[in-house]
Amino acid sequence: MKKNISAILILTASLFAAGSDFELPAGSLTLEKACKTALDNNPQIDAALDRIKAAEAIVKQAKAANYPSVKGGAGYQALNSAEEPGWAPYTHQREAFNEKSLSLEASYLLFDGFGRKAAILESKSYSKSQSQRLYDTRRLLLEAVSSAFYRAQLAVENMVIARQNRNFNKLLEKDAEKKLAAQTIAASEAMNFSVKALKAETDFLQAKKNFRVIAAALAELLAVPGSELPKKMYPVRSSKDVKSKELNTEKLIAQSLRSRPDLEAIDYQIEAGRQNIKKQKADYAPEIAIVAGVDYSKTNAGDYDQDEYTSYIGVNAVWQLYTGGARSGKVNQARSELSQLKQQKTLKVLSIQSSVRQAVEKAEINYQTCLRNQKIYELSKKIRDDVEKSYKAGAVSLTRLNEAQTDMVNAAGALETSKIQYRISLIELNSQTGEILKQFE
């Protein structure tokens, strides 16, 4: 029976030696560098910049109404006419001739009910809203990168804890083998440490899997080709210290309402909506334009040529008297769209206020949790060290030492988790207030 137990323990040890890689990911990527890389390479930023360029092009189109328009034309016709006079029914007159024409016309809009001005102001407000959308894209991207970075650090710390736990249980396993050979412990107690060592290896592999998954997500955010993060771009190890931050909820909410780019974008959209109403109302006014031009035509009819020149200048006025309700429909549509934007702003304000309050609560609770987990870990480590001394003195059993080690490992994992959760909650809070944009300028 003893030989069978020893064989099981030896087999377990060989599994550890041959089947597991306990190397820790080690890189030089800092949070600041990760954020800068994402801002430089992520396609979302390029797409936002393209939207700004499109909006600027719309402004240029609207401003074009302030300048005269010039158009030219040219034509050529080959004509063949036949005529049978009523007074001479059997007489046919046929004639073939060619006609060439050239024209040039310039026009300038003098008045359109101020629709031209409203269109320009609308396009400018829309362009400004797109600029704010760019800042909001940057804000959300920085939050996502920071969160992934910290979660990758947490996975590495869990790997460290699992590896340390595995190594400690391997030492206990060797002691158990000796005591089993000396018949001072039961076989089940000896196998217990092999199980604990295997469990620690499983924890390591789980943390390693989490790291690789998070690393792939981080690589996507950084726009790394193939979404595979090179080893040199693995995040640096997590810092051990956690600094408290004084948080004033009402001041942070006020700051958010002043600084959030998505809220500013809605404000610009609302202004664009007001100008759109004015633009649609301008259809009720007449359009007055000054027009000038010159026409030239040349007719060739066989034996004779005819040249004709015409030049003109004048003022044209066009007033739509009835459009079947199209104008009022456009105005009502613009008013409804403006109302929707105002409701959207109200919802956004409520969302920001709620999000900031939640982020403050999370940060404060996570910090308090972190402090308590730090104390729990310190006490658990002291207990483990004391139990280990007692074990070496023969005062306690291996089982009690294993229990103390398990408690310390659980406390270490909870501590690292609470640290990362606190850092992530601060990132979320900085994102909600817009402070994250200044942080990574």
Side-chain angles (χ1 to χ4, degrees):
M1 178 66 180
K2 282 191 246 179
K3 290 182 180 179
N4 291 337
I5 297 299
S6 298
I8 292 174
L9 295 176
I10 292 172
L11 177 60
T12 302
S14 66
L15 285 173
F16 275 111
S20 299
D21 178 12
F22 294 97
E23 181 183 356
L24 296 174
S28 59
L29 182 67
T30 63
L31 178 58
E32 291 74 16
K33 187 175 180 180
C35 290
K36 184 179 185 304
T37 302
L39 293 176
D40 291 341
N41 299 336
N42 194 285
Q44 295 182 60
I45 302 298
D46 292 335
L49 289 171
D50 287 336
R51 287 192 291 269
I52 291 176
K53 291 178 181 178
E56 291 173 347
I58 293 175
V59 174
K60 187 176 181 180
Q61 294 173 43
K63 285 184 175 180
N66 283 328
Y67 300 93
S69 63
V70 180
K71 62 182 180 179
Y76 173 83
Q77 289 181 313
L79 303 176
N80 190 352
S81 66
E83 183 179 354
E84 182 178 318
W87 49 270
Y90 300 104
T91 302
H92 298 278
Q93 297 180 356
R94 295 183 180 276
E95 187 175 7
F97 57 91
N98 300 326
E99 185 176 85
K100 303 173 184 178
S101 63
L102 294 172
S103 65
L104 183 66
E105 181 180 270
S107 63
Y108 180 71
L109 183 64
L110 299 175
F111 178 75
D112 68 343
F114 304 104
R116 171 175 49 185
K117 179 181 178 181
I120 293 173
L121 294 176
E122 178 192 14
S123 63
K124 287 182 176 179
S125 295
Y126 176 73
S127 178
K128 291 177 181 178
S129 74
Q130 291 303 313
S131 296
Q132 293 301 318
R133 293 295 181 189
L134 169 62
Y135 289 124
D136 197 53
T137 300
R138 291 165 60 93
R139 176 183 70 88
L140 296 174
L141 180 60
L142 289 171
E143 180 184 356
V145 170
S146 301
S147 178
F149 183 89
Y150 284 135
R151 294 185 190 282
Q153 286 186 326
L154 176 60
V156 173
E157 294 306 315
N158 286 335
M159 291 170 69
V160 172
I161 293 170
R163 187 173 71 169
Q164 292 174 346
N165 186 33
R166 179 257 182 186
N167 292 338
F168 185 81
N169 276 285
K170 288 297 290 180
L171 294 175
L172 296 182
E173 184 182 32
K174 291 180 180 179
D175 284 342
E177 291 176 10
K178 295 176 183 178
K179 293 181 180 293
L180 178 63
Q183 299 185 356
T184 58
I185 62 172
S188 59
E189 187 175 356
M191 286 188 292
N192 178 61
F193 296 107
S194 298
V195 172
K196 293 292 184 181
L198 282 170
K199 176 63 169 60
E201 182 179 6
T202 302
D203 293 340
F204 182 92
L205 293 175
Q206 181 65 33
K208 186 176 183 179
K209 181 201 75 173
N210 292 340
F211 175 81
R212 288 181 174 177
V213 170
I214 297 170
L218 183 58
E220 178 185 357
L221 293 170
L222 302 185
V224 176
S227 292
E228 183 176 1
L229 203 63
K231 290 184 177 181
K232 64 180 181 180
M233 291 184 66
Y234 285 166
V236 297
R237 289 282 301 276
S238 173
S239 60
K240 298 301 180 183
D241 59 324
V242 174
K243 298 179 181 179
S244 63
K245 184 176 181 180
E246 185 177 350
L247 304 175
N248 185 310
T249 303
E250 299 307 321
K251 288 184 178 180
L252 291 171
I253 289 177
Q255 177 185 345
S256 300
L257 297 179
R258 291 193 305 267
S259 305
R260 279 283 290 269
D262 50 344
L263 186 60
E264 289 189 55
I266 295 176
D267 285 334
Y268 283 122
Q269 286 181 288
I270 289 175
E271 179 57 29
R274 293 193 181 101
Q275 296 302 326
N276 185 35
I277 292 175
K278 294 180 181 180
K279 182 179 72 173
Q280 301 304 330
K281 285 183 175 180
D283 287 345
Y284 286 98
E287 286 189 1
I288 302 175
I290 183 171
V291 181
V294 59
D295 292 331
Y296 166 74
S297 64
K298 182 175 183 178
T299 303
N300 181 284
D303 295 335
Y304 71 92
D305 293 335
Q306 178 178 327
D307 295 320
E308 182 176 348
Y309 298 89
T310 304
S311 61
Y312 56 91
I313 185 170
V315 176
N316 289 345
V318 178
W319 197 341
Q320 296 285 347
L321 300 178
Y322 180 71
T323 61
R327 287 178 296 190
S328 60
K330 291 179 180 180
V331 172
N332 290 335
Q333 177 185 351
R335 285 173 175 167
S336 297
E337 291 172 350
L338 177 61
S339 178
Q340 292 176 33
L341 288 171
K342 289 180 178 179
Q343 296 301 323
Q344 184 179 342
K345 180 181 178 179
T346 300
L347 291 173
K348 178 60 69 175
V349 169
L350 292 173
S351 174
I352 290 174
Q353 292 170 334
S354 174
S355 297
V356 171
R357 291 187 186 280
Q358 292 179 47
V360 169
E361 290 295 330
K362 286 181 182 178
E364 291 178 343
I365 294 299
N366 286 338
Y367 179 69
Q368 294 299 323
T369 302
C370 189
L371 293 179
R372 284 158 177 77
N373 282 336
Q374 178 69 43
K375 191 64 177 178
I376 291 172
Y377 172 73
E378 291 172 356
L379 292 174
S380 298
K381 188 175 185 306
K382 186 176 184 304
I383 292 171
R384 198 287 307 269
D385 293 342
D386 290 344
V387 172
E388 187 177 9
K389 292 178 182 178
S390 299
Y391 166 74
K392 291 179 179 179
V396 298
S397 65
L398 270 174
T399 302
R400 176 67 189 102
L401 178 56
N402 184 269
E403 291 174 353
Q405 170 68 13
T406 301
D407 291 341
M408 190 196 73
V409 168
N410 291 337
L415 175 59
E416 293 301 327
T417 299
S418 61
K419 285 181 180 179
I420 296 300
Q421 286 178 341
Y422 176 61
R423 293 187 181 113
I424 291 176
S425 63
L426 289 180
I427 285 293
E428 291 176 351
L429 179 58
N430 288 340
S431 176
Q432 293 299 330
T433 61
E435 187 69 20
I436 196 171
L437 292 169
K438 299 177 183 178
Q439 184 177 349
F440 294 104
E441 279 183 343

